[in-house]
Each structure stands twice: as structure tokens, then as C-alpha cells.
Amino acid sequence: MKLTGAEIIVKALEEEGVDIIFGYPGGAVIPLYDKLYDSSIKHILVRHEQAAAHAADGYARATGRPGVVIATSGPGATNLVTGIATACMDSIPMVAFTGQVALPAIGRDSFQEADITGITLPVVKHSYLVRDVNKLACTIRSAFHLATTGRPGPVLIDLPKDIQTTLAEYSYPKQISFRGYHVPGEPEAAQIYQAVKAIGLSRQPVIYAGGGVISSGAADDLQKLAEKACIPVTTTLMGKGSIPEDHPLSLGMLGMHGTVCANYAISHSDLVIAVGARFDDRVTGSLDTFAPHAKVVHIDIDIAEIGKNVHVDYPLNGDVKMVLQELLPRVEVPQTERWLQQIASWKKDYPLSYTQDGDEIKPQYVIEQICELSKGEAVITTEVGQNQMWAAQYYKVMKPRCFISSGGLGTMGFGLPAAVGAQLGLPNELVVNVSGDGSFQMNLQELATIVQFQLPVKIAILNNGYLGMVRQWQELFHNKRYSQTELLPVPDLVKLAAAYGIKGLRAHRPEDVRPVLEQAFNHPGPVIIDFVVSQDENVYPMVPPGGSLTKMMGGAGK
Amino acid sequence: MRHILAVLVENQPGVLTRVAGLFSRRGYNIESLAVGQTHDPNVSRMTIVADGDDQVIEQVVKQLDKLVDVIEVRDITDDEHVDRELMLIKVKAEPVVRGEIMQIVDIFRARIVDIGQSTLIIECTGDEGKIKAIEKSLKPFGILELVRTGKIAMVRGPKYEEE
Ligand SMILES: Cc1ncc(C[n+]2csc(CCOP(=O)(O)OP(=O)(O)O)c2C)c(N)n1
Ligand SMILES: [Mg+2]
């Protein structure tokens, strides 16, 4: 049967099991939207293409299924770039469709022409410009395969307008093969054996778990390994949820704003077991002083990550879940009693802390209350800045896929659209967007999307009147010269909520926090909560950039 | 240290951009890159000469390998291989010096491929040493233009197989 390109796309999406698409129409994708009109696939009309990409990303992080995006050519496509880059940095499966001018018009600076495959080249896993409608179905199959297998990532398909209207014979390929793309299998038995031996001989081992644990669905396996071998676990921002954070073996997050305990543990460790993590500078601080006494086991699906930033003694290239399941029955239990005692005393001596003085709300307290009230079971999306770090420190995550944050790119404006995607993917969960007054204003147009699709997202804005994280750096490293970080006036957030027909609440004093949150969580629809918090609170502990993890400011680890 | 990489890629638009972009984006030094179709019209082969210590080159190879359009990457620096480069040089050649230039061309087993009023174009193929040497020898006459293809290389012996 012959179908038009647009029909082929919709059919292919249905075959891929896509039930939801985030997008925004325009001239170059009108034929595609015409076919979507008759499809059962739900289309979420965002209010800015950047938000479409972030929402698809949030959907993917929350559900594990690939996020799908459509934008028109030119400005529609370029508006996606930040969202695609955000997904790429955090290895999130996404397929983005962009309209393109018709094939004969390409290269002539035609109306709304942008070389989007060129522009996105450094921030995609792969991309296609479809030049032949006969290859369209195969291209879509390939894109989904690439986005979701191996180390996941965004794949872009650029669709010239005439391709969408040209007829071709349709058949959807079941199998596709690539000459240049292979998902790694299991590591060799010898490598597993050596890692097992190294673990058994270690005395001060630490598991350092990253986003790869979440994306490979290996949190259970990780926890089992940690429990069987009595090895403490610290996670990255992306790895939150790899182990319940109230677990006795959990040390919390490590790195720049990590716990003292996690940073001390890594620094005194004799064996770091990195699992689906990539030794980012926000985690390691100065590489020269990172885990100076440790041998390194590195489990990662991407062989290029192994040895990229630190020397690896025991490389285990393969899917995290598969490798953990190989290790689990074989692991030799090391003697870690003394080490665990040491860790327990660090935990006790250096807990996360802040001082509640005066009658201003401390932002940390807000997060603690959100955590308590939701029993750590909400799906949290964060913005970027202090709000993100306080959420990471004080929200104790219990399950994988429940802490959704832009880690690698650190994209302000991510959290609100990500909450849209997460809530659509998990309609029965409580989704809370922990936000900052700056970040919120980067994508607040999505309030309209939230209202249109009746998403009961709770938006908790830590309103400190500042680009707080930048202000913190200026305070600490630039002689309190607060250049361009005061945000005042912040619009009246309660009135803003009203303008969108959303419930708006405000808390000024510590005693307001709990009741306001209860009211918000009990409300069936979306709520914006304006937490007017102290303006000069800083995120501690803090490892100054490029410093050693043992030298933390404000961690009591003096 | 300089490394010679033999890279098989899908013969598709955009492949060169992906490879070149990777080098610039990750800050790797590329000395030369030569590319052309192989006996399989769907496959092109690149010869890349890149500079860096072992750790950098290991990253280059792994990152190249990650590109979907890259079928295979081999670092053939330490394998027995043949490498060649083609160079065209246009030199000033007034009649009085032509004899001398032709002698040099002879010694290097190069060829004269164009004779102008007061210029000659010389074609020379060889390994890097030879290319450098002929350039040096012709320099005193005045080099007007010079173009090189970049190195292409092939491992000696039977068809290269992954170990
Ligand atoms: C798109 C974007 N622009 C700029 C930055 C740099 N930046 C990092 S944190 C931050 C401040 C964020 O302010 P706000 O959202 O109010 O959060 P706070 O730190 O005050 O909690 C800025 C500007 C960024 N991360 N992303
Ligand atoms: Mg702020």
C-alpha cells in the first residue's frame, strides 16, 4: 500500500508504541500535523518548542520510554536545541522530528530554513536528513533503536516538507542492522573475575552510582550488591534513586555540594566502584586529589567513558544491569566492618545542616517538609541553581526515576516542562517542581500547557529574589560584588497563578510552610506556591571549583 | 606522538562534518585527513594523522568509534604499513634553471606535469620524508604554489583483520 511521508511517520510512531508527542506546529510540518489529526496518539501542544523537548525529556526520565518531539523548520527547530543538548548530556532517549524546507529549496536560505542537523551535530547521538521517502520508515526505526539502546541519547530526524507529501510503499522494518553501531555485550569473564577479586580484597570500598544505574533499570541489582558485600553507596545527582536514601548504606550525594560523609568516603577509599557514572568535574573536584588511595572499577556501557577522566584499573564495559547481575552471585564479601564504623561516625559528626534563625523561611526547610509530607515518594523535578542543590541534599529519594534534574547541562527552565512530561507519563503520581524564581521565569509560559491538559503539578518556588547560585559564587569568590544577580521585581506569583486560572499560595514564615504544602498537595489541580525564603542563604557544604573533596566550605569538615 | 588512523565510514553526506566536528569539538589535533570512496561504493576510507599522547589517541579512537556512521577505526601507527602522499608544486623556473630543476625531479623520481612561460608544475608521490626533501630542494628556486593531499596509508600483508 502506498502512503504519504506524513502517513508513514504516524504509522511508524504507532508501531513504536508512541502514545504521546510533545510539539508545536508550523509551515514545514503542516502535512504531518494533518495526519496526526486523525491519529490516536496524544499530542501535547506546548507553548514554546524548548519546553517540548524538556517535556519529552521529563517523560522519558519518568517512564524510561523515549520522548518524542515535533517542531517546525527554522525557528521551531532552533528552539529545540537547548532541550536536545540537555537530553544529550544526561543520556536521555529522545526522538526529535523537525520540519525542513522542501528538498529543492534546501541550501538557498529559503524562508524558515535552518541547517538543524548541522546546528545540533555536537548534541545528538545521531541525526538524519531524510532525502528519500522510501527510506523514511527505516530511518524512523533506526532513530528509535539508536535513541533507546546502548547509551541512550537524542536522535533528530529532519523532514523536508515535500517528503511528507510524497507517496511510497510502506512496510515497517522489524530488524535493522548497522555496520557502525554495536551495543556492547558482556565483559570478558576474566575482567569480571579480576573485579570480583579486587572487591573481595578491598577494605574501604565505595560504590559511586550515576545516571546509568537509573537508565539501565539496575537500582535493585545495585542495592543487592551493596547489601551482599556491605559496601556503602554514594550517588551523583543523576544517580539519586539508585538506592533508597534512608538506607543505612546510603551516603547521599557526593561532589561539589555532596555530603561530608560521601566526600570523605571517596577520598579515603581504597576501591571506588563507579557504576554508570562519568567522573564529571562537579563530582570529582580536582582530578589530582580525587580518590587518591583508590583503585577504580568502572562499569559503563560507553567504553569511551572508561579512562576518559581517571585511570581505571578494572574496566567492565557493558550494560550496568547485566554487569551487576554477573557480579552479584560471584562477589567476594570484603571485610568492611571498620570502614562502616568510620563512615557511621562521619555521618553522625557531619550531617547536613542549616540554622533556623529569625522568622524567615529557610529554603532547606521547605524541601525537608516537601520530603516529609510526600514520604519521599513524589516525583521531583528541579530547576537549576541553589533550589536544585537543596532539593538534591534534602529530598531523600526512595525510588529510581523520581528525581528529575538537568545534571550535565544545568539548564534553567528545565524543571517546569519536565514536570509536564513526567506528570503525563505518570498520571497517578504526585509531581512536584522544585523551582527558583529565576528558573521559573525561563519557561513559565508552560503554565498554559499545564492548565490545558489539567496536570496537577505542584510548583514550589523558592523565591529568594536572586539568581541565588550565582549570587553565592559572587559572595564567596568575587568580594560580594553582586553583578546582575538581583532579580527584583519578581512578579506577584500568586496573581500570576490567578491569571492562568491556577491555585496560588504563599508562605512567608516557617510556620506557614507545612499548612501551605498540605493545602497544595490536597488540591486536585495544579498549584503554584510562592515560598518567600531568606535571600542570603548559601548551599553548603561546598567544594570550591577545582578543589579537593576533603576541603569543604561550611561542611563542619574544617 | 603522531598516529595514523585508518577509518572506514559510511559513504554518506555529513560524515566528514561529523568526523571533523568531533576533532574540533573535543580539542584533538588533526594534522591531515584524506578521504575517498573504497572498492565498495557505500564505504569511504579516511586516513587521519592526529597528534597526541596515548591517552588522547585512545579517546580519539573511542569517540570516533561511537559515531554511528563510522564502521571501523584502526590505529595503524605501529603496524607495518605503506603510506603515501601526493604533492603538486609550482616553482619559478626561468629557462636558465630548468636543467637543474629537472635533475632534482629525476633524483626524486617525481614528474613535471606542466610547463609554463617561467614556471613548472611538479608532481611528487612518496612518503613524508621524500615529500619534505623535494620541497626543501625546490625551495631555493621559489615555490609559488603548493598543494598536498594528506597522507593515505595501508597495512602490509593480507587483508587486515581485527585481532
Ligand atoms: C539557561 C541558563 N542560564 C544561565 C544559567 C547560569 N545559572 C546557574 S544557576 C543560576 C541562578 C538560578 O536562579 P534561580 O532559578 O532563582 O535559582 P536559585 O539559585 O536562586 O535557587 C544561573 C543564572 C543556567 N544554569 N542556565
Ligand atoms: Mg532565586
Side-chain angles (χ1 to χ4, degrees), chain A residues 266-336:
Chain A
I266 279 278
S267 301
H268 291 86
S269 167
D270 63 355
L271 186 74
V272 169
I273 305 163
V275 190
R278 59 185 175 84
F279 298 88
D280 181 77
D281 54 274
R282 285 293 188 267
V283 161
T284 61
S286 152
L287 283 173
D288 301 332
T289 56
F290 178 74
H293 317 294
K295 298 255 190 223
V296 176
V297 176
H298 192 178
I299 307 175
D300 207 287
I301 193 147
D302 181 358
I303 197 165
E305 286 301 340
I306 297 176
K308 186 182 79 176
N309 290 345
V310 302
H311 174 75
V312 172
D313 303 277
Y314 306 100
L316 294 174
N317 178 218
D319 174 57
V320 163
K321 189 179 181 73
M322 210 197 278
V323 176
L324 287 176
Q325 287 181 349
E326 288 290 317
L327 286 177
L328 192 55
R330 297 180 176 80
V331 70
E332 292 176 10
V333 179
Q335 290 165 23
T336 56

Side-chain angles (χ1 to χ4, degrees), chain A residues 534-547:
Chain A
S534 51
Q535 299 198 327
D536 50 10
E537 193 66 20
N538 286 341
V539 182
Y540 290 123
M542 178 177 196
V543 178

Side-chain angles (χ1 to χ4, degrees), chain A residues 384-387 410 412 436-439 442 464 466-470 487:
Chain A
V384 169
Q386 294 181 316
N387 62 84
M412 286 172 69
D437 43 343
S439 302
M442 282 213 174
N464 55 9
Y466 275 95
L467 298 173
M469 185 56 93
V470 183
L487 270 185

